Amino acid sequence: MYNPIKRKRTREVKIGKIGVGGNNPIRVQSMTTTKTEDVESTVNQIIQLYEAGCEIVRIAVPSRNHVQYVKDIVRRINGLVPIVADIHFDYKIAIMVADVGVNKIRINPGNIGGFQKVREVISACKANNIPIRIGVNSGSLERDLIDKYNGVTADALVESALRWLDFFDKEGYLNVVVSVKSAIVPQMIEAYRKLSEKTDVPLHLGVTEAGTPKSGIIKSAIGIGSLLYDGIGDTFRVSLTADPLEEVRVAWEILKALGIRSRGVDIIACPTCGRTKIDLISLAEKVEKVLENEKIPIKVAVMGCEVNGPGEASMADVGIAAGKGQGVIFRKGIPIKRLKEEELLNGLLEEIEKIKEEMGYK
Ligand code: SF4
């Protein structure tokens, strides 16, 4: 995997059994969209997220009454994946939920009601030895900072984060992760770059309210991807107005695109051009669909012509180069068998099975 990124070193924080920061891989997070009181659906969604590659799952705790449901969820998940409780406004929820087995708490100290209340949340987390994410957000920045900076700016977000980090430091609580999310991509990039120069606390990245997949994937890929390429960020969530499984899928695509981590098959497909003589778009879609749950970390190419295809995709472990009514299966750019158009997909899958055997996946 080509990866020239020099990652900025941060200190390690443990979220359940998962390490974040330090030498740990960059972690993928997502958040459930089910009603927390619907324990059955929430547990099912958490398991689905875990199976899709989500390494830390956040759940909303909207009221004190919800703490009992979180307790049930944590018990049923039984350490499969770390659970983070997301709390807004009411510090008592944070104190109560710290006691029911969650692995981290996420608060925005700016909207929790002042230093004394945050101090009490710290005590509860200290007693349970669980980390806190200080989640600074462009949508809920403290009033004094908005006034000082004449609006929400990257510097204002950074100052808020540093102020809280300093407070946590003085309270003797270093078990923290911090985020400075903004809905504006350049602002979010600037804020994280500046914050990264000032602290070695692990950073959780995200573009907040990124929107539906159509625009949200692009915003997240640019915002999160730029920072990861700078070596900044220890964990992240792609926020989308969509099924959270899509967030996890996109998160892995970002990691794969940057050569940071691999998971499953990486599909390479040519854009097609005037040389293409088959319906390559639907063939590429079929290949993607049939391989979507495949765990083997290989590159698979789907190319529109035999002349340029194998060469252009020589970095692929295996691929199809289609011609007129027929095509070739190639490995590392070398054609190995010629098949009729309708046999290409099965021919590719057979070759992938052989690769799995060779790599010891079977
Ligand atoms: Fe065109 Fe062939 Fe390149 Fe695909 S691989 S874009 S069909 S030249």
Side-chain angles (χ1 to χ4, degrees):
M1 230 175 351
Y2 178 73
N3 176 3
I5 299 167
K6 210 170 161 349
R7 186 162 160 210
K8 190 188 159 197
R9 188 65 185 264
T10 51
R11 62 190 190 224
E12 186 188 36
V13 166
K14 281 272 189 202
I15 302 167
K17 61 184 179 189
I18 295 282
V20 165
N23 285 326
N24 294 289
I26 292 161
R27 302 298 190 183
V28 171
Q29 299 203 27
S30 185
M31 189 164 175
T32 52
T33 51
T34 46
K35 298 266 176 251
T36 305
E37 61 270 32
D38 182 351
V39 172
E40 194 63 35
S41 303
T42 305
V43 166
N44 285 340
Q45 195 173 55
I46 292 170
I47 294 169
Q48 282 176 11
L49 286 167
Y50 166 74
E51 285 171 351
C54 183
E55 296 168 293
I56 299 165
V57 180
R58 186 152 47 111
I59 56 177
V61 195
S63 75
R64 295 176 196 184
N65 188 42
H66 282 84
V67 172
Q68 58 181 310
Y69 304 116
V70 176
K71 187 175 180 178
D72 284 352
I73 292 164
V74 167
R75 187 180 46 80
R76 286 187 49 188
I77 290 300
N78 195 22
L80 179 72
V81 59
I83 303 293
V84 181
D86 189 75
I87 292 115
H88 286 272
F89 306 115
D90 184 356
Y91 78 111
K92 285 267 194 220
I93 304 175
I95 292 171
M96 289 163 71
V97 89
D99 248 352
V100 300
V102 297
N103 304 105
K104 187 174 84 172
I105 280 183
R106 183 266 171 181
I107 55 167
N108 177 353
N111 71 20
I112 220 93
F115 290 116
Q116 186 46 35
K117 290 178 178 168
V118 175
R119 191 171 282 128
E120 287 182 44
V121 175
I122 293 174
S123 299
C125 290
K126 225 183 235 178
N128 288 285
N129 194 27
I130 52 173
I132 298 174
R133 169 151 69 90
I134 302 170
V136 173
N137 191 300
S138 60
S140 53
L141 197 61
E142 296 99 310
R143 188 74 249 168
D144 66 310
L145 292 173
I146 296 177
D147 292 342
K148 177 177 170 186
Y149 288 94
N150 223 353
V152 177
T153 64
D155 288 318
L157 291 165
V158 172
E159 185 165 334
S160 174
L162 292 174
R163 175 196 276 179
W164 286 109
L165 285 173
D166 185 50
F167 178 77
F168 275 68
D169 244 20
K170 288 191 177 121
E171 292 296 312
Y173 206 57
L174 302 176
N175 202 2
V176 291
V177 175
V178 66
S179 59
V180 279
K181 294 189 185 182
S182 167
I184 302 165
V185 174
Q187 184 175 77
M188 164 266 184
I189 294 173
E190 187 187 344
Y192 276 105
R193 281 183 179 157
K194 287 182 169 167
L195 182 60
S196 160
E197 282 171 14
K198 300 251 159 78
T199 182
D200 66 350
V201 168
L203 299 184
H204 169 92
L205 308 181
V207 177
T208 190
E209 291 115 33
T212 59
K214 200 171 165 190
S215 59
I217 291 174
I218 292 172
K219 287 183 196 171
S220 295
I222 294 173
I224 296 167
S226 303
L227 289 162
L228 293 178
Y229 189 74
D230 286 346
I232 297 168
D234 301 286
T235 175
F236 67 99
R237 175 193 177 196
V238 172
S239 301
L240 295 176
T241 314
D243 186 327
L245 289 173
E246 182 67 359
E247 297 187 348
V248 176
R249 189 192 65 75
V250 174
W252 278 100
E253 290 302 327
I254 292 173
L255 290 170
K256 284 196 272 185
L258 288 167
I260 292 175
R261 291 184 73 183
S262 60
R263 181 186 166 87
V265 173
D266 192 9
I267 307 273
I268 299 159
C270 85
T272 79
C273 70
R275 295 176 191 86
T276 318
K277 295 198 173 59
I278 66 159
D279 181 3
L280 193 83
I281 297 174
S282 66
L283 178 60
E285 283 170 357
K286 273 185 210 150
V287 170
E288 192 170 61
K289 183 87 202 127
V290 82
L291 295 176
E292 78 184 348
N293 295 320
E294 187 58 71
K295 299 274 184 295
I296 184 171
I298 55 168
K299 289 191 195 306
V300 175
V302 185
M303 307 300 280
C305 71
E306 286 183 40
V307 192
N308 296 331
E312 280 183 23
S314 58
M315 79 298 267
D317 296 284
V318 62
I320 293 172
K324 191 177 177 189
Q326 54 167 338
V328 294
I329 304 292
F330 62 89
R331 280 180 72 166
K332 299 275 184 200
I334 315 277
I336 52 166
K337 61 182 164 191
R338 178 167 294 283
L339 296 170
K340 289 190 197 135
E341 182 178 338
E342 59 276 16
E343 297 167 344
L344 285 171
L345 182 57
N346 278 341
L348 177 76
L349 297 179
E350 271 171 29
E351 214 48 44
I352 291 173
E353 289 305 309
K354 282 189 205 156
I355 295 176
K356 278 162 78 173
E357 260 180 56
E358 289 162 19
M359 290 174 75
Y361 273 75
K362 288 182 85 174

